Amino acid sequence: MKKLKLQNDSYRILVSNYKEWLDILGYAESTVYQLPNHLQEFLYYLEQTDIKNIHHVTAKTVKDYYQELQQRANERQSGSLSKSYLNKHQQALKKFKEYLQNHNHKSINIHLKSEKQPTEEKLNILTQSEIKQLFRATEYSHTESRFKLRDKAILTVLYSCGLRRNEAVHLDLSDILFDKERVFVRKGKNYKERFVPINRKNAEILADYIYEARPEFYQSNVSESLFINHHGTRMQGMSFANRLKAIVEVADNKTIAEKSITLHILRHSIATHLLQQNVPLESIKTFLGHSSLESTQIYTHLLKTIENE
């Protein structure tokens, strides 16, 4: 279904914040993409039925909307919408209810029976022990030393420094400030710049890569990029993802493998670990480059979810 344009400013903000919430909680990229779209369909329905405030939504409103979904024609094949697709809409609404509850909004009543047993995704955060296993795995993640040192440096900037994938991709050599024990992040979200601290151990890992491994890559003296590939050009996001996959494979840990770790989950993991160590939320906000404390506060909910498992 084509993306529907919302007229209500508050509804548009809700969709945006809901998407960011799902992302920070560590859901799969497909879920972070799909559920906000389904929520947007629901909010569009509210606009069409002249409901301009989320607080005016009743259990009957949700039921009427869902009945309309059940009767909608399937655009890709004959018949109605599939049960799995309807369950995704249910998941979007139930997660939205949870979002409202966690952000001190008046919640909405949802009384919908699943079309079949839904497969609720788990929040896949690595433990500190599992992170250590990944770092150890870089000792044999490749046959060549230069790649192994680069793998360890990649884990350092994505986990220890908590960088987003795009931020890691755009790091230059000049951004590693050993004298100040800082990493300069110039390509942050919404192009916001920040400095991220590095301790002695992280600095040693980055120094080993920069001074021992990186010069062995083709035309390394030509590029200013911190991470370069065997062609001597800047590594892109997919290459980072492939190296993480290789590290996970050689770690040979079934629990880690089953978590389907992504680059972004490394960032979620360090944020959760900092919270477990009682680092102030304001400090974590600055470390991650969040624009608001509300985004960082989501990790307090994530931590409670992990502790209750």
Side-chain angles (χ1 to χ4, degrees), residues 86-132:
L86 288 171
N87 273 331
K88 273 295 183 181
H89 277 272
Q90 285 200 30
Q91 184 186 1
L93 292 175
K94 289 173 182 177
K95 279 293 170 189
F96 181 56
K97 177 180 180 179
E98 187 179 329
Y99 165 82
L100 293 173
Q101 290 172 335
N102 280 277
H103 289 79
N104 299 318
H105 290 295
K106 179 184 176 183
S107 190
I108 57 177
N109 293 316
I110 299 175
H111 302 294
L112 299 174
K113 185 178 179 180
S114 296
E115 300 295 332
K116 61 180 181 180
Q117 188 62 34
T119 53
E120 184 72 13
E121 293 177 74
K122 292 184 178 180
L123 304 179
N124 295 331
I125 299 298
L126 290 165
T127 65
Q128 293 183 52
S129 174
E130 289 168 343
I131 287 291
K132 290 177 181 177

Side-chain angles (χ1 to χ4, degrees), residues 45-106:
Y45 170 82
L46 297 185
E47 287 188 342
Q48 301 309 301
T49 52
D50 205 31
I51 298 177
K52 299 178 182 179
N53 191 313
I54 198 69
H55 296 156
H56 297 158
V57 173
T58 65
K60 185 179 184 303
T61 307
V62 177
K63 186 177 181 180
D64 289 346
Y65 167 70
Y66 191 68
Q67 287 178 342
E68 185 174 295
L69 281 179
Q70 289 175 312
Q71 297 167 8
R72 182 193 297 172
N74 192 317
E75 294 182 356
R76 295 185 179 181
Q77 58 190 44
S78 60
S80 58
L81 299 178
S82 68
K83 290 183 178 181
S84 61
Y85 191 77
L86 288 171
N87 273 331
K88 273 295 183 181
H89 277 272
Q90 285 200 30
Q91 184 186 1
L93 292 175
K94 289 173 182 177
K95 279 293 170 189
F96 181 56
K97 177 180 180 179
E98 187 179 329
Y99 165 82
L100 293 173
Q101 290 172 335
N102 280 277
H103 289 79
N104 299 318
H105 290 295
K106 179 184 176 183

Side-chain angles (χ1 to χ4, degrees), residues 249-264:
E249 286 178 357
V250 297
D252 196 25
N253 181 306
K254 185 178 179 181
T255 303
I256 295 177
E258 288 177 348
K259 289 185 175 182
S260 301
I261 300 306
T262 64
L263 299 174
H264 215 56

Side-chain angles (χ1 to χ4, degrees), residues 32-280:
V32 174
Y33 173 77
Q34 290 172 0
L35 296 197
N37 284 347
H38 295 331
L39 174 62
Q40 187 157 324
E41 289 187 48
F42 173 63
L43 297 178
Y44 181 82
Y45 170 82
L46 297 185
E47 287 188 342
Q48 301 309 301
T49 52
D50 205 31
I51 298 177
K52 299 178 182 179
N53 191 313
I54 198 69
H55 296 156
H56 297 158
V57 173
T58 65
K60 185 179 184 303
T61 307
V62 177
K63 186 177 181 180
D64 289 346
Y65 167 70
Y66 191 68
Q67 287 178 342
E68 185 174 295
L69 281 179
Q70 289 175 312
Q71 297 167 8
R72 182 193 297 172
N74 192 317
E75 294 182 356
R76 295 185 179 181
Q77 58 190 44
S78 60
S80 58
L81 299 178
S82 68
K83 290 183 178 181
S84 61
Y85 191 77
L86 288 171
N87 273 331
K88 273 295 183 181
H89 277 272
Q90 285 200 30
Q91 184 186 1
L93 292 175
K94 289 173 182 177
K95 279 293 170 189
F96 181 56
K97 177 180 180 179
E98 187 179 329
Y99 165 82
L100 293 173
Q101 290 172 335
N102 280 277
H103 289 79
N104 299 318
H105 290 295
K106 179 184 176 183
S107 190
I108 57 177
N109 293 316
I110 299 175
H111 302 294
L112 299 174
K113 185 178 179 180
S114 296
E115 300 295 332
K116 61 180 181 180
Q117 188 62 34
T119 53
E120 184 72 13
E121 293 177 74
K122 292 184 178 180
L123 304 179
N124 295 331
I125 299 298
L126 290 165
T127 65
Q128 293 183 52
S129 174
E130 289 168 343
I131 287 291
K132 290 177 181 177
Q133 290 180 56
L134 291 184
F135 271 96
R136 286 197 296 269
T138 62
E139 298 297 332
Y140 41 91
S141 57
H142 201 280
T143 56
E144 295 185 45
S145 177
R146 58 175 177 153
F147 287 100
K148 291 188 285 189
L149 290 175
R150 190 186 66 180
D151 284 347
K152 186 173 287 189
I154 287 172
L155 286 184
T156 298
V157 300
L158 291 171
Y159 170 74
S160 305
C161 298
L163 267 60
R164 302 176 178 93
R165 177 173 66 174
N166 190 54
E167 294 170 346
V169 166
H170 288 93
L171 279 177
D172 286 341
L173 284 170
S174 58
D175 296 330
I176 311 301
L177 311 173
F178 289 109
D179 57 332
K180 296 180 180 179
E181 297 181 331
R182 295 285 187 275
V183 172
F184 177 52
V185 183
R186 67 177 69 251
K187 286 285 186 178
K189 193 173 183 180
N190 299 322
Y191 296 94
K192 292 182 179 178
E193 300 175 343
R194 71 182 188 280
F195 289 93
V196 175
I198 50 174
N199 60 27
R200 182 177 297 179
K201 180 62 177 178
N202 294 333
E204 288 176 357
I205 292 173
L206 293 178
D208 287 344
Y209 163 65
I210 291 172
Y211 299 116
E212 294 183 28
R214 192 180 179 282
E216 296 182 16
F217 283 86
Y218 179 67
Q219 291 189 335
S220 62
N221 60 327
V222 177
S223 175
E224 289 298 316
S225 308
L226 175 62
F227 292 107
I228 55 177
N229 55 34
H230 63 284
H231 296 299
T233 57
R234 187 182 297 272
M235 278 184 68
Q236 298 302 311
M238 186 56 68
S239 296
F240 280 83
N242 288 337
R243 291 316 306 159
L244 177 59
K245 182 179 179 181
I247 295 168
V248 169
E249 286 178 357
V250 297
D252 196 25
N253 181 306
K254 185 178 179 181
T255 303
I256 295 177
E258 288 177 348
K259 289 185 175 182
S260 301
I261 300 306
T262 64
L263 299 174
H264 215 56
I265 285 176
L266 294 176
R267 174 176 160 89
H268 296 321
S269 298
I270 184 62
T272 306
H273 298 161
L274 290 174
L275 198 58
Q276 287 174 325
Q277 295 166 16
N278 298 316
V279 174

